[in-house]
Amino acid sequence: MNLRLTSLFSAALLALLCAGTAQAAETTPAAQLQRWSAQAGASGNAAKGQTFFNAKHGGEWSCASCHGTPPTAQGQHANTGKVIAPLAPAFNAKAFTDSAKVDKWFKRNCNDVLTRECSAAEKADVLAYLNNLK
């Protein structure tokens, strides 16, 4: 194989690997709920999720502080004013469809609201609540 053909083959292989990685991250809100429920060892509870979402947990903010009540319309970050897309999957087709983003934002937002990472059960409950909003 000559050097040019080897380079083209390597580039094509890298593109396929990257495409496979990107697709592996794609998911559905229902699959996210299933993932966190499995980790929690119990199904998400929408009523608990709604209570958790709207409550302040010893800090100044709740989830609803930025995402609204219910989170079916655009929200606004309480500190920066940045516009936030609707969080409920029925009102935002992209919500909870990328596992890496789900993990990133749960970690970041739970730290803002709770000053700790959310448990798998808390994530499952919030997702059950959000997935039930129509």
Side-chain angles (χ1 to χ4, degrees):
M1 223 185 254
N2 68 30
L3 183 60
R4 185 168 182 211
L5 188 55
T6 301
S7 295
L8 287 172
F9 178 76
S10 296
L13 182 59
L14 181 61
L16 285 171
L17 288 172
C18 290
T21 302
Q23 281 190 338
E26 293 177 11
T27 187
T28 65
Q32 291 292 337
L33 173 57
Q34 197 171 37
R35 173 170 72 120
W36 293 113
S37 293
Q39 286 188 25
S43 296
N45 180 307
K48 284 184 181 179
Q50 181 177 14
T51 298
F52 181 92
F53 190 88
N54 292 311
K56 292 183 180 176
H57 301 271
E60 156 181 1
W61 295 345
S62 68
C63 303
S65 296
C66 297
H67 293 287
T69 305
T72 56
Q74 279 189 341
Q76 185 175 19
H77 191 276
N79 191 33
T80 67
K82 180 181 174 185
V83 173
I84 302 169
L87 193 58
F91 297 84
N92 177 357
K94 292 183 180 181
F96 303 101
T97 59
D98 181 321
S99 292
K101 285 183 181 181
V102 170
D103 294 346
K104 169 189 166 183
W105 286 108
F106 259 131
K107 182 175 183 177
R108 190 176 286 183
N109 290 341
C110 289
N111 280 324
D112 286 345
V113 171
L114 301 169
T115 65
R116 66 169 172 82
E117 193 165 342
C118 290
S119 70
E122 290 165 336
K123 292 173 188 178
D125 291 344
V126 167
L127 281 168
Y129 163 60
L130 295 172
N131 286 346
N132 279 344
L133 295 172
K134 305 292 181 215

